[in-house]
Amino acid sequence: MRPRRRRLLAGLAVFLSMLAVVASTAALLLVGEPAAGADGDALASRLLKLIPVVLIASGAGCWLSFKLDTLYVQAPLRLAEQLAATLPHAGLRVGRYEAPEVEQLAQVVNQLLAQREADRSEVAEHFRATQASLEEERGRLSALMADLSQSVVVCNLDGRVLLYNQRAKQELSTGPDGDRTELLGLGRSIHAVLDRAVIGYAIARLQQASAAADSGHAPEVVGSTHFVTGTASGRLLRAHMSPVLGQTGRHHADGGALSMTGFVLVLDDVTMTNERHTRRDAVIQSLIEGCRGPLGSVRAAAEMLCDFPDMSSEQKDRFTLAIRDEATVLSAQFDKAARAFSSDLRERWVLEEINGAEILLATAGSIQEKGGGGRPPLAVKTEHVEKGLWLRVDSFALLQALRHLALRLQDDYGIREVRLSLTRSGHLAQLDLSWQGGFMNNETAMSWLQDPMNVPGKSSSLSVTDVVERCNGDIWFQRERVSHRAFFRTVLPMAAAPGNLPMPMPVATAEERPEFYDFDLFGWSASGHELDDRPLSELAYTVFDTETTGLHPAEGDEIIQIGATRIVNGRLLRHECFDQLVKPQVRLSPGSVEVHGLTRELLAGQPGIDVVLPRFHAFCADTVLVGHNAAFDMRFLQLQEKRTGVRFEQPVLDTLLLSSVLHPNQATHQLEAIAERLAVPVLGRHTALGDAMVTAEVFLKMLPLLAEIGVRTLRQAREASQTSYLARVRY
């Protein structure tokens, strides 16, 4: 029961008790024969005089009950809340109390706190001595990561980022419009930056190779894989993925076999290389086309000179002049090609060595998956698969091309079964995708090979022919009329089987880590859990705050600054921040300017809310939003949904409501008061980022206190917040 209601009930009980006493006395006096005359009037007069006495006594009783409640009920409750808030922090003491008995208890509590701090100091001194080597190793790792010229990202199997270096942050935090967007950070999904399908396919390859090695069915073990992918800004990256091995489940305790717990991505930006390669191909193509005519003329002129040796000198001179002119043209063509190509590196599209049987197995599994539009699974059979045949291809792109052809057969011709085969044909590998029935002419087959591919859930600008040509191969359509069988035949160059590759070493863990890595996230998996039932300590948070033109969002006030920071794995990532001013379309109220100090001159030239809000939405993706008096800020965001098309559907926690749950007997729950209770320094107040930082520190201090009262999951925190009377406030 709330303190105010309890006091009112206590006062009402005192008043009713006094009223009952007076009523009982009056009833006793009036029992028997009714009084007559002067005696009756005297009795009535005495009863009337008794009423003020009753009221005064009732008031005194109420005051006494309130005083006793304050001294001996409220004071111990405040003492308990202060003690709970003080326990995690050194140097804090509970305050003084009016009641001598409670004050004596407070002094004993302060003595116990002092003794505990002395014991902690002794333990901390021993612990500090053991941290020197760890700090040295951390410094070495920081320097190594900072000096790498390549982008390095380490993720768990869910794609959550555990480690990255500054080069990776620079290359992967550029949005599609070239603007800086904080897409990479600890605990964030790598799928927000790189194609989920490519990453998933590469992981499946590594897991499949590992499983085959464990079962002894695969003599060749692939310790890593390569692929090429693009970023949102259009950059082309060459990726080298290696597995990170660790002990999980039952193997963790008995030191059993290692399994894949994550992966390491080493990324190279090959955009310029690919552009040079494209320019080189264009030069070669133009050279071929430009030289065909002059070479034909030279050949014809030379043949005439050889076949007719007795021609006149005038004719010989004319043919000789033609040869010279065409040779001049050829020379010019070659000079032009040499100048255009001399500055370009001779690099090809990045390909990887892969076992051909593995390509067929992965393709069959991908085709059999249920496609879009309620498409039933397509049966796939493999036949004539020659073992030990290795290819050098872009395996993911080739898989997508074969899948595209198979699904078009199903959609356009109702084919229910396709067959895959892989055989050796001289020095080439021959890969067939065949079927029976469904007549197709050559023109249709050619358009399928030349048109851009369209696989379920994704479209591509590449055609099947483009993919096969990248792999230095060729593809065509062919029919066997006798067997009523048709097929797409792909011929590819074979590759030598790779030698034994070194297996990756497990990544070591550490107790204290800098903010660019957190290997504890290897054990943190978002899959298979409902977010509401996840422990608060395992969630990722975006703690944010806004500054506005005024305090009335429904009356047209707008956001002029958004500041945010992130909490991952129970740690505040101070370097992963969002801080952006916003140019409003309404005037600033003088009162708001006095609070935050943001004037129209400071906001001039800043982007509008329609630009800033999508960036902020990307920054807080896959996290729980946290704010102080978050209902106020969320109302401003909700009013911009129609204008910006950005909708914030993440769960929201409010430190204002959580404070009222933790400390219901405190007089105020303003941010400064909460920070003082929890020993959080207040810096940069009334700036969006400064308030977000303070709120984040406060929220971290609240988490263990919430756990002590049984609030451990997101669902429990939200339900507890709704019980607060402050949750009724609307904006």
Side-chain angles (χ1 to χ4, degrees):
M1 183 181 296
R2 293 175 184 160
R4 183 177 300 177
R5 183 176 297 178
R6 185 169 59 243
R7 290 183 179 183
L8 291 176
L9 291 178
L12 182 61
V14 171
F15 177 76
L16 292 177
S17 299
M18 297 296 297
L19 187 62
V21 171
V22 173
S24 301
T25 303
L28 291 174
L29 292 176
L30 295 175
V31 169
E33 294 296 329
D39 293 336
D41 293 339
L43 180 59
S45 177
R46 286 196 294 272
L47 289 175
L48 290 174
K49 292 179 179 180
L50 189 60
I51 292 176
V53 176
V54 172
L55 294 176
I56 294 173
S58 298
C62 290
W63 177 86
L64 181 61
S65 66
F66 288 168
K67 188 66 174 178
L68 292 175
D69 180 78
T70 301
L71 292 177
Y72 296 103
V73 178
Q74 294 300 313
L77 291 175
R78 289 198 303 273
L79 175 60
E81 292 178 356
Q82 287 187 356
L83 181 58
T86 302
L87 281 176
H89 315 295
L92 294 183
R93 299 290 184 268
V94 298
R96 301 183 61 85
Y97 292 88
E98 187 176 352
E101 296 83 359
V102 180
E103 173 62 20
Q104 185 176 357
L105 178 60
Q107 292 177 0
V108 174
V109 167
N110 286 333
Q111 292 174 3
L112 291 175
L113 289 174
Q115 182 61 43
R116 190 196 64 156
E117 289 176 9
D119 296 338
R120 279 188 170 182
S121 298
E122 183 178 354
V123 173
E125 186 62 30
H126 291 288
F127 179 73
R128 201 175 296 115
T130 63
Q131 281 189 309
S133 61
L134 181 60
E135 291 294 334
E136 184 178 357
E137 293 299 325
R138 182 172 63 180
R140 290 174 181 173
L141 178 60
S142 301
L144 176 63
M145 296 297 294
D147 292 339
L148 286 177
S149 60
Q150 293 175 303
S151 300
V152 178
V153 183
V154 180
C155 304
N156 63 9
L157 289 181
D158 296 321
R160 299 290 172 180
V161 176
L162 287 64
L163 175 150
Y164 63 91
N165 63 351
Q166 192 62 28
R167 180 64 176 254
K169 190 174 184 66
Q170 292 172 353
E171 288 188 347
L172 301 180
S173 292
T174 303
D177 299 328
D179 55 331
R180 297 289 296 176
T181 304
E182 297 295 335
L183 298 176
L184 189 69
L186 292 184
R188 307 195 75 171
S189 176
I190 192 65
H191 301 140
V193 185
L194 303 179
D195 187 355
R196 179 186 294 270
V198 178
I199 297 292
Y201 171 72
I203 292 175
R205 278 205 60 206
L206 293 176
Q207 290 177 326
Q208 187 179 33
S210 177
D214 292 340
S215 62
H217 294 159
E220 306 98 348
V221 177
V222 179
S224 61
T225 186
H226 302 79
F227 57 87
V228 177
T229 186
T231 66
S233 61
R235 307 298 294 175
L236 198 63
L237 301 179
R238 176 174 56 197
H240 175 96
M241 178 186 285
S242 300
V244 175
L245 304 181
Q247 294 176 342
T248 58
R250 60 183 178 87
H251 298 307
H252 184 73
D254 57 17
L258 297 176
S259 60
M260 185 175 175
T261 60
F263 55 90
V264 180
L265 286 174
V266 180
L267 305 170
D268 285 314
D269 191 333
V270 293
T271 306
M272 296 302 297
T273 301
N274 185 64
E275 291 176 356
R276 288 193 294 267
H277 177 60
T278 302
R279 290 197 303 269
R280 187 199 65 180
D281 287 346
V283 169
I284 294 175
Q285 185 65 28
S286 65
L287 188 61
I288 293 173
E289 296 297 331
C291 292
R292 183 177 288 119
L295 282 174
S297 299
V298 170
R299 181 177 179 180
E303 289 176 350
M304 291 295 293
L305 289 173
C306 293
D307 293 342
F308 301 97
D310 56 347
M311 68 175 56
S312 66
S313 60
E314 183 180 351
Q315 290 177 324
K316 288 183 180 181
D317 291 341
R318 188 168 63 250
F319 283 114
T320 303
L321 183 61
I323 293 175
R324 187 189 66 180
D325 292 342
E326 296 299 338
T328 302
V329 173
L330 285 174
S331 178
Q333 288 282 354
F334 280 107
D335 289 342
K336 179 181 177 182
R339 288 194 301 270
F341 185 60
S342 60
S343 61
D344 290 338
L345 297 177
R346 300 175 181 269
E347 293 184 2
R348 301 294 301 173
W349 186 264
V350 181
L351 304 176
E352 59 175 331
E353 287 83 9
I354 183 172
N355 194 309
E358 185 180 342
I359 276 281
L360 260 62
L361 182 62
T363 303
S366 177
I367 294 174
Q368 287 174 334
E369 292 178 356
K370 189 171 183 179
R375 171 191 292 119
L378 177 63
V380 183
K381 291 185 179 180
T382 56
E383 57 183 10
H384 308 306
V385 180
E386 190 165 339
K387 296 183 179 180
L389 202 159
W390 284 76
L391 309 174
R392 182 171 174 79
V393 294
D394 181 348
S395 59
F396 179 76
L398 184 59
L399 180 150
Q400 294 285 63
L402 295 173
R403 185 186 182 196
H404 165 72
L405 294 175
L407 295 182
R408 288 209 66 172
L409 286 170
Q410 182 185 25
D411 291 342
D412 295 1
Y413 290 93
I415 301 300
R416 298 183 178 180
E417 179 185 281
V418 296
R419 299 192 176 192
L420 296 170
S421 66
L422 180 66
T423 56
R424 189 188 305 267
S425 177
H427 64 283
L428 298 174
Q430 181 175 289
L431 194 161
D432 288 346
L433 171 67
S434 62
W435 68 95
Q436 285 189 330
F439 174 81
M440 178 190 299
N441 57 41
N442 290 329
E443 291 76 10
T444 301
M446 184 63 66
S447 67
W448 284 17
L449 297 178
Q450 298 294 337
D451 293 343
M453 293 188 297
N454 185 13
V455 295
K458 183 179 180 180
S459 60
S460 172
S461 60
L462 296 176
S463 67
V464 175
T465 302
D466 291 335
V467 171
V468 175
E469 288 180 350
R470 279 185 176 182
C471 301
N472 300 315
D474 195 9
I475 185 171
W476 64 86
F477 170 70
Q478 190 170 330
R479 287 192 303 269
E480 293 180 353
R481 298 186 181 277
V482 177
S483 61
H484 300 287
R485 179 172 169 267
F487 51 84
F488 286 105
R489 173 159 293 170
T490 306
V491 290
L492 299 164
M494 292 187 297
N500 294 328
L501 299 176
M503 292 301 293
M505 296 297 294
V507 174
T509 60
E511 295 298 329
E512 294 291 336
R513 295 162 296 272
E515 290 183 348
F516 67 86
Y517 76 99
D518 191 339
F519 292 151
D520 283 347
L521 295 175
F522 270 123
W524 177 47
S525 172
S527 60
H529 295 279
E530 289 291 340
L531 199 60
D532 273 350
D533 296 326
R534 290 275 303 282
L536 293 173
S537 58
E538 293 185 2
L539 294 171
Y541 302 93
T542 297
V543 189
F544 77 106
D545 186 66
T546 63
E547 298 297 337
T548 62
T549 59
L551 302 177
H552 306 288
E555 298 178 9
D557 281 324
E558 296 182 359
I559 295 173
I560 57 175
Q561 187 181 27
I562 301 178
T565 185
R566 301 181 65 245
I567 295 176
V568 177
N569 209 23
R571 295 191 301 119
L572 174 59
L573 307 181
R574 295 182 178 274
H575 69 295
E576 294 189 14
C577 301
F578 185 95
D579 188 13
Q580 180 63 59
L581 297 175
V582 183
K583 182 180 180 180
Q585 294 185 344
V586 298
R587 70 178 188 87
L588 283 74
S589 65
S592 67
V593 175
E594 291 180 2
V595 173
H596 49 61
L598 298 176
T599 63
R600 180 162 295 277
E601 290 74 20
L602 290 174
L603 301 176
Q606 297 296 330
I609 192 67
D610 54 335
V611 175
V612 174
L613 215 54
R615 297 181 188 173
F616 177 61
H617 188 268
F619 178 81
C620 60
D622 299 326
T623 62
V624 176
L625 293 176
V626 178
H628 187 77
N629 193 17
F632 176 79
D633 302 287
M634 292 304 298
R635 182 58 177 160
F636 278 93
L637 297 179
Q638 291 165 0
L639 290 175
Q640 296 295 334
E641 288 179 1
K642 184 176 181 180
R643 174 180 171 184
T644 63
V646 175
R647 185 179 183 87
F648 290 83
E649 297 179 336
Q650 299 97 324
V652 181
L653 292 179
D654 192 338
T655 53
L656 175 70
L657 304 183
L658 294 176
S659 175
S660 67
V661 171
L662 287 170
H663 305 138
N665 298 290
Q666 299 301 318
T668 178
H669 297 285
Q670 293 182 353
L671 186 58
E672 293 93 338
I674 302 173
E676 183 179 357
R677 285 197 292 270
L678 300 179
V680 173
V682 178
L683 301 174
R685 189 73 172 98
H686 295 305
T687 64
L689 183 58
D691 286 354
M693 287 290 186
V694 175
T695 304
E697 294 277 14
V698 164
F699 180 71
L700 284 173
K701 296 291 182 67
M702 286 182 171
L703 289 179
L705 302 179
L706 289 169
E708 290 178 4
I709 63 173
V711 179
R712 295 182 174 85
T713 67
L714 178 60
R715 185 192 307 276
Q716 291 171 339
R718 295 170 72 177
E719 290 175 350
S721 298
Q722 292 304 313
T723 63
S724 171
Y725 68 96
L726 294 173
R728 302 174 184 175
V729 178
R730 296 291 183 269
Y731 294 94

